[in-house]
Amino acid sequence: MFRTALRNVLAHKARLLMTVLAVMLGVAFVSGTLVFTNTISEAYQKSSAKGFDQVDVAVQQAYRPDEGDRIAEQPKLTPELLRKVGKVPGAESATGVVSGFTALADKDGKLIGGGFQSQGGNYWGKDDPRYPIEEGRAPRGPNEIAIDAKTAERAGYEVGDTVRLSVDGPVLSPTVSGVFRTDDGNVAAGGSLTLFDTATAQKLFHSPGTYDEITVTAAPGTSQDRLRSAIDKVVPEDVATTITGQQLASQQATQIAASMSGLKNGLLVFAGIALFVGTFIIANTFTMLVAQRTKELALLRAVGASRRQVTRSVLIEAFVVGTVAAVTGLAVGVGIGAAMRGLISTLGETVPDGPLVVTPGTVVTALLVGVLITMLAAWLPGRRAAKIPPVAAMSSVHAQATTRSLVVRNTIGALFSGAGVATVLYATTLEGSDGQAPMGIGAVLLILGVFVLTPLLSRPLIAAAAPVLRVFGVSGKLARQNSVRNPRRTAATASALMIGLTLITGMTVMAGSLQTAIGKMAADSIKADYVVSMANGSYLSPDVEKKLSGTEGVTAVSPLRNAESRIDGQTEYITGVNGGAIGELTKFAVDSGAFRVGGSEVVVDTETARRNGWKAGTSFTAGFEGGERQKLTVAGVYEANELIRGILLDNRTLERRLPADTRPADMMVMVKTASGASDAAKDRLAKTLGDNPAIKIQDGDDLSADIAQMFTLMLNLLYGLLAMAVIVAVLGVINTLAMSVFERSQEIGMLRAIGLDRRNIKRMVRLESLVISLFGGVLGIGLGVFFGWAAGELVASRMPTYELVLPWARMGVFLLLAGTVGVLAAMWPARRAAKLNMLAAIKAE
């Protein structure tokens, strides 16, 4: 049986080619994802580990939990503690570390590193071992900085150049005193590192006289664990904790792996979708191959082969095909992983240098996935063939599915579909994350149910195309009849395309609806002309609000200031606003009371009010940092949005309750001008802030454009990933048509003999492919709209402005795409059918 299986594989090389390609693409996606993420992860881990070469033990702030209505005062790492740690036996040196966000602009005024990987810190003394100076010297005083060598190279800066940078808003213009080397992972990833002298760094990062961390280097012969034990004896537990450099590197590696796991899992989901679609092609191929060899298998049964041996023969074929596809897919996947890394560089992103990583786990996963998927998909056709009695197979009475089997299939499909719809509808009655799991389960059940019911659905839906097909005469009529001749085959072919279009349509519906909802939310609730914020989302300096208030034409300004509080033993974050101006800058629907902020009166959003049992007129006491307490009264309850929510308190009241040395944390500043939003007003605000590249000044159109860009990038990424599933589906259509042409060789020869010319033969095959593809497209778009609506209902429970928006133009494009897939997929099979020799075809069996 093994030799028989190998002979059959070699005898049907062309017919199995599409199956090999489908499995290969899926395996290549899986292995490429693993190679890419493992390569990037290891490169970052090795790069970050180098950053801890100068750290044997790190002393970090201890965390003191809040208690009752009091916010615990967190300990500080002082120069006294630094001196004490530096004198511990076994310590060679101790360094006080200060760090924070620092946005450095290039010579064109653009932000280096996009802001998110732009960091700042302190250069310790005159010769900091962490940062060897390549050119110049260490920074001295507030008007000098040192920058890393990679940033200097990318931006074209040299020692003596004046640069523009920002820490929290105001623009600084220091001089580059030196250029240093560093193995910092953020720098290797395209970010920047800017160093100040210690006093300047402490002042800029709002920690005068204190450190964020103390790093200690061990003397020769002293281990990290021994040094840590010695430091623990002199450091109070409630002030600081210690950790070795090896543990820091291990933690960093774990964090990097965790951050990469999201990307890896996301890519693997799409690889799984491609493989899932590929299973239809595999099952279809083996079903047709087994059907063509029914008499051969029956003869094997007649000469003594058992059912198990026949099934085993089919599975051996699948094993050989799967192995070839898996090995090829692994090789292609390694190339994909290398290409994806190269693509990151071309997009302007930088990753640390390192070799391509192909782990044994990647190899085993690729081989197992390819072989198991193929064998599982081929098992059912093999088992079905083995059940056919030899005599029945010889007389071909097995060819048509029995009425009983169709009834059983349709019943199962109806039950799955009904359960899926019911579960999805139930999920829409839940709120937010509570409905995600039922929604996912319902979606899987519904897709499986529709797949099982597809043969039943194919007849009425394809029949609906009959009036259009009549225009093409005999070719159109034959195409329609061929499409429904074998409903199961048509269903398997169309389902592959259906799954891809279901996901694409559902995501497009969700993205369009969300974009509209967020834009409407901003338009309906914000009357401010501009929203000012940091490019990386960090906090603004209070100086920004002061400067904007004094700008010509500005009529109202309010920062949104974040402050932690304790209410009834729970942590609540209060947003400080300018009570007198907030009414001019926002427009919220009020459920009860009045939108009035001033003195001890606050407004709260509906969710916070519901969670705490508050209503208009309710009083409560809030505890603030430093032990200050304030009795507050709810003046009104408003409907929040994604920009503003929670408790709104007047800034004057908030500032009186915060310690004098506590810096307000402004998340953003809202601005209204006398003339409204205009280019001139925006330019005035930008000039007031020194044309700071780290600050965004956005009007309503800018906010909408940001939202649109975010969704467009997300959709384009998803379209690109789902394109793999669509390509696999195209292979399925080609495979089905090619094998269908082979099966119908005698019939095609007869049609040629009675007068149907080659052009009409081609047209018949193309129309058949077009009908099957459009059938899959209609099902996919319909399911996608349903899932998009259902998922939107979950969003609507937390976003009042959400409403379903159907992207008719894009859905039309998707349907056109399905038709194009059908036409392109039919080119080779149609040409092959037209080239058949009519006499040879008539004699074929």
Side-chain angles (χ1 to χ4, degrees), residues 217 252 458:
T217 304
Q252 187 80 5
S458 64

Side-chain angles (χ1 to χ4, degrees), residues 56 84-94 216-220 222 227 230-231:
D56 288 311
K84 187 183 294 185
V85 168
K87 293 179 182 178
V88 166
E92 184 175 279
S93 63
V216 188
T217 304
T222 304
L227 178 60
I231 293 173

Side-chain angles (χ1 to χ4, degrees), residues 500-510 780-782 784-785 788 807 811 814:
L501 286 177
T502 295
L503 295 169
I504 289 173
T505 305
M507 290 173 180
T508 302
V509 170
M510 276 293 297
I781 292 172
V785 169
M811 288 193 294
F814 296 156

Side-chain angles (χ1 to χ4, degrees), residues 403-419:
T403 303
R404 180 174 176 276
S405 68
L406 291 175
V407 169
V408 171
R409 179 184 179 119
N410 293 337
T411 301
I412 293 173
L415 290 174
F416 269 85
S417 298

Side-chain angles (χ1 to χ4, degrees), residues 138-163:
R140 302 171 189 165
N143 297 318
E144 291 186 349
I145 61 166
I147 59 175
D148 67 90
K150 289 188 177 180
T151 296
E153 182 182 352
R154 285 195 294 263
Y157 284 133
E158 297 178 351
V159 173
D161 287 346
T162 298
V163 301

Side-chain angles (χ1 to χ4, degrees), residues 554-640:
V554 171
T555 59
V557 173
S558 175
L560 269 61
R561 191 161 289 170
N562 198 34
E564 182 184 0
S565 72
R566 296 283 291 180
I567 301 172
D568 295 331
Q570 301 295 322
T571 298
E572 290 278 0
Y573 285 92
I574 289 179
T575 300
V577 298
N578 285 352
I582 193 66
E584 298 180 53
L585 299 166
T586 59
K587 181 176 57 178
F588 288 105
V590 179
D591 286 355
S592 62
F595 195 89
R596 187 172 57 250
V597 180
S600 62
E601 289 189 313
V602 299
V603 292
V604 300
D605 69 327
T606 51
E607 184 179 347
T608 304
R610 179 182 55 80
R611 187 174 66 246
N612 291 284
W614 297 339
K615 58 183 179 180
T618 301
S619 295
F620 60 91
T621 300
F624 294 93
E625 187 179 347
E628 292 287 334
R629 295 163 63 84
Q630 173 71 50
K631 185 176 182 180
L632 302 172
T633 302
V634 178
V637 178
Y638 68 96
E639 292 183 7

Side-chain angles (χ1 to χ4, degrees), residues 708-792:
Q709 183 180 23
M710 178 182 67
F711 283 114
T712 300
L713 287 173
M714 179 188 70
L715 277 179
N716 288 340
L717 175 64
L718 294 176
Y719 289 162
L721 294 171
L722 287 171
M724 184 69 72
V726 175
I727 291 171
V728 174
V730 172
L731 293 175
V733 177
I734 296 172
N735 201 26
T736 298
L737 290 173
M739 301 192 77
S740 178
V741 167
F742 178 84
E743 281 185 347
R744 303 203 311 263
S745 295
Q746 190 176 56
E747 175 188 320
I748 292 171
M750 289 294 296
L751 290 171
R752 290 288 315 282
I754 62 176
L756 198 65
D757 59 17
R758 289 184 174 179
R759 187 178 65 177
N760 281 302
I761 290 290
K762 286 183 181 179
R763 183 181 297 165
M764 176 187 72
V765 177
R766 287 171 184 159
L767 289 174
E768 179 183 350
S769 175
L770 180 63
V771 167
I772 292 173
S773 298
L774 288 176
F775 169 54
V778 168
L779 285 181
I781 292 172
L783 283 174
V785 169
F786 176 70
F787 290 139
W789 164 81

Side-chain angles (χ1 to χ4, degrees), residues 453-524:
L453 283 177
T454 305
L456 178 66
L457 298 173
S458 64
R459 291 186 179 275
L461 288 178
I462 292 177
V468 178
L469 292 175
R470 286 196 194 102
V471 175
F472 298 96
V474 175
S475 298
K477 182 178 180 181
L478 290 172
R480 182 181 64 81
Q481 291 174 346
N482 290 335
S483 301
V484 296
R485 176 185 295 183
N486 191 330
R488 288 184 176 179
R489 183 185 302 171
T490 298
T493 305
S495 295
L497 193 58
M498 175 193 77
I499 291 172
L501 286 177
T502 295
L503 295 169
I504 289 173
T505 305
M507 290 173 180
T508 302
V509 170
M510 276 293 297
S513 300
L514 277 170
Q515 182 178 332
T516 302
I518 294 175
K520 184 179 178 182
M521 174 186 68
D524 289 352

